[in-house]
Each structure stands twice: as C-alpha cells, then as structure tokens.
Amino acid sequence: MKDKFIKKLKRSWLAIWIAFAAAALSTIGVLAAYTSVSSVKRVVSTQKGAGMLFSSNYLTTDENDLPRTITFSSMENSPCVTVNVCNYPQTLIKHNDKDITYTLTVELVDSNGNAVTGENTAKYSVEYNGEKKTFGSNSKIEFSLLKLMADDFNKHEFVLTFDKSQLTKSDIYMRVTAIPTNQAELKPLSAKLGVIYINDNTSATWTGTFIDNATSPKDLDGFNYRLSGSGEGTVTLTWNTNYVDISPWFKNTYGLTISKDSSGIATATLKVNSAEKNQYDIQFYRTNGINSAEQWSDGNHTDITVTGTGFVSMSFTQSTATEN
C-alpha cells in the first residue's frame, strides 16, 4: 500500500513539473517575442519596404526623374555638389553584410532628360577618388567596377562641378545613376541634379521641402526633408507628431530643444549661416500608419497634407546687425 502511494505521488509530481516547465517555456517565448518587437528601430526609407542597404544622400530609387535644384551663394567660385553612395541607410542603422559592386554614370542633360552637347560641356566635371573627368562628345561619364566593402560603414563620394557662368540662365543638369551589379535585390539609385545661385544682394532666404520624388507619399515608409538657403538667421521647424517625428540623430547632432503642444505639434529652432553650411537634410519617421488621404501639397512636393493639415513646415527669421 505504501509503495503504491509513493508511485502515485511520484507520477503526480512528474505531471506537475512538466506542466510548470511548459508554462515557463511559454512565458519565455512570449517575453522573447515581445522584447524583439519592442526593441526594433524604424528605418527611414525612400521607398516603401526597402532596407536601403545601398543608399545615397541625393540619389533615390524613385523613377520619376524630377529635377532637383541645390542653391548656392553667388560668392561661390565653383559650385560643387558632393554625392555619396553608401552600403548603409542614411540613418546609419546598419551596413550591408555583403560587398556591393556597382557602376556609376553621370549624364549631362536638360530638364526633360535630353542630352546636352557642345563645347561648354567641358566646363562640367565629376571627380572620384582623386580622378577628375570632364564631359566629352557623348555627354556621359562612367565609373565602373566600384566596390563598397562589407567590413564597415563605407561610402564613396563623387564631386559634381557645375559651370558658374551658366547657373542663372541655363537648363543643364547632371543625371547620376548608380547600378548594383552583384546583388539583384538592390535597386538602382538615380537623380537629376542642378544648381542655382541666390542673389546675395537680396534678403537672406531659407526654404524647406521634401526631396522624396515618389508619385505619392503613401509609397514611402519615411521622409527626407531638406533645409537650404542663403544668409544667417534662425529657422523654426514645425511638424505634426500625429503623423511624423524627427530623426533622433538629427536632434542630437544639432542639439535641438523640442517643445510639443497638446495637439501634437512639435517645434524646434535651428541657427543657420550659409557661410558655414547652406543645406541640412533631415529624416522624419512615421509615427502611425499610412493615412489614405495624405498627398503632396503641390507639384514640387513642398509638404505632405492630410485634408489640409501639413506634416512639416518651416519659417525663417533673418539675423539683424545687433543679433548675436
């Protein structure tokens, strides 16, 4: 009788132990799943769902090929635009774990994409890794067999130099295209870039605009916003946190102090001086899902609106002679 009771007790404790272990494993699984989801960082992407482990400060995966204009002070002797091509997203979340080989081509075109020819093309050039190339009769420059190594966060820089004498009247752009040759999942990057001078005899001017050329903002997981201009003063940046929030990297890099009202409108100020820096690229992250009513505010993609409410806006106050 005693032996039967002990055997029965052992079987009961074994069942209890198995049930406890199963419950513990289930709890661990739930905890692991919760931790992995809650610790994921959002990545600003210029294309919906793209990892962007092949990215650029100016080039995107969009195919609209809309011209983009970079502003310069007329005091600049050589208006140059530095385009980088990277093996990581512009937010530096992680880098590609494979080497990337690609070809970069630069074409001299007008705003409609037609090739520009003639003797003045030699005044435009592209420089990479100490090698400077000018445009020849075919209006095309190519750098082939380029490789971004997978060992770290790596980028290549290409300096595009424009003809100063043509900036106020010409219709000349450089169409830059970077095409991966060894990773089929990576999308080509491209943009049509031009430059224009701001007259220094006029009041200082700073503007802000989105630089994502997608047909609709609903195609994007995140947004790139550019401040550019001439002169010295203060930019007041405002955004609606019900839709987007500013990149923590940009906030920390420039020491922004952000205030937010009860309706979710955030505001920050940034001291600007084109003698030191004439352009700031800012990433904004979605805070909620895509709204079916959102659209570009105008043909130049200045802002994104939802039934009249904008995502991001800015204003500029010029410094006075007595201002520190």
Side-chain angles (χ1 to χ4, degrees):
M1 183 71 177
K2 181 179 179 181
D3 291 340
K4 289 183 179 180
F5 175 76
I6 292 173
K7 288 180 181 180
K8 184 177 181 180
L9 185 61
K10 286 181 178 180
R11 286 196 299 270
S12 298
W13 274 111
L14 180 62
I16 293 171
W17 182 87
I18 291 173
F20 175 79
L25 288 173
S26 174
T27 302
I28 292 171
V30 171
L31 179 60
Y34 174 80
T35 303
S36 65
V37 170
S38 63
S39 65
V40 169
K41 295 181 179 179
R42 289 182 60 84
V43 178
V44 169
S45 169
T46 54
Q47 185 101 356
K48 186 176 180 181
M52 297 305 292
L53 294 179
F54 182 61
S55 74
S56 170
N57 59 337
Y58 283 104
L59 314 182
T60 74
T61 58
D62 187 72
E63 298 178 354
N64 280 347
D65 201 28
L66 297 176
R68 300 182 183 181
T69 302
I70 298 94
T71 58
F72 284 89
S73 163
S74 60
M75 299 299 292
E76 293 282 349
N77 291 322
S78 298
C80 299
V81 178
T82 300
V83 174
N84 68 41
V85 178
C86 315
N87 69 341
Y88 52 84
Q90 293 297 294
T91 44
L92 288 168
I93 298 297
K94 62 177 180 178
H95 63 77
N96 202 310
D97 60 1
K98 300 176 183 177
D99 292 346
I100 302 173
T101 58
Y102 69 100
T103 296
L104 184 130
T105 59
V106 186
E107 301 168 274
L108 213 56
V109 299
D110 62 21
S111 58
N112 293 320
N114 302 312
V116 172
T117 59
E119 60 182 19
N120 289 330
T121 59
K123 297 179 180 179
Y124 297 80
S125 65
V126 182
E127 182 175 347
Y128 166 69
N129 200 25
E131 180 184 8
K132 185 175 182 179
K133 297 183 178 182
T134 56
F135 288 91
S137 58
N138 63 354
S139 301
K140 186 175 182 179
I141 289 173
E142 181 174 294
F143 295 90
S144 58
L145 302 177
L146 300 173
K147 180 181 287 189
L148 289 163
M149 304 299 290
D151 59 343
D152 203 347
F153 291 85
N154 289 307
K155 69 178 178 180
H156 294 158
E157 293 188 333
F158 303 85
V159 180
L160 282 54
T161 301
F162 291 77
D163 175 21
K164 177 178 180 178
S165 66
Q166 301 294 308
L167 291 178
T168 59
K169 59 182 179 181
S170 70
D171 180 30
I172 298 179
Y173 295 81
M174 292 195 202
R175 182 165 57 200
V176 186
T177 306
I179 301 178
T181 56
N182 71 324
Q183 293 192 45
E185 67 274 16
L186 298 178
K187 295 184 178 182
L189 305 171
S190 64
K192 188 190 297 176
L193 305 174
V195 292
I196 192 170
Y197 279 132
I198 293 177
N199 189 340
D200 290 331
N201 294 324
T202 63
S203 299
T205 303
W206 281 77
T207 60
T209 184
F210 287 97
I211 59 172
D212 300 303
N213 284 337
T215 302
S216 167
K218 293 191 287 288
D219 295 332
L220 304 170
D221 286 330
F223 309 98
N224 295 287
Y225 189 84
R226 175 167 295 158
L227 295 174
S228 60
S230 175
E232 182 178 359
T234 302
V235 167
T236 300
L237 196 62
T238 303
W239 62 95
N240 192 327
T241 61
N242 296 303
Y243 302 115
V244 293
D245 209 349
I246 200 166
S247 158
W249 178 88
F250 189 87
K251 172 189 173 184
N252 296 334
T253 299
Y254 294 99
L256 298 185
T257 298
I258 298 173
S259 60
K260 186 168 69 171
D261 65 19
S262 59
S263 66
I265 302 301
T267 304
T269 59
L270 176 68
K271 293 288 186 181
V272 293
N273 185 350
S274 61
E276 300 171 356
K277 188 176 179 67
N278 70 344
Q279 179 177 297
Y280 297 84
D281 287 338
I282 310 170
Q283 289 76 42
F284 283 92
Y285 299 81
R286 286 189 182 276
T287 54
N288 289 299
I290 296 172
N291 190 300
S292 60
E294 64 189 53
Q295 60 185 1
W296 296 117
S297 60
D298 54 36
N300 294 324
H301 299 184
T302 305
D303 194 9
I304 302 167
T305 60
V306 174
T307 60
T309 300
F311 278 23
V312 180
S313 63
M314 59 80 63
S315 62
F316 172 68
T317 303
Q318 184 175 355
S319 295
T320 62
T322 58
E323 184 176 341
N324 294 327

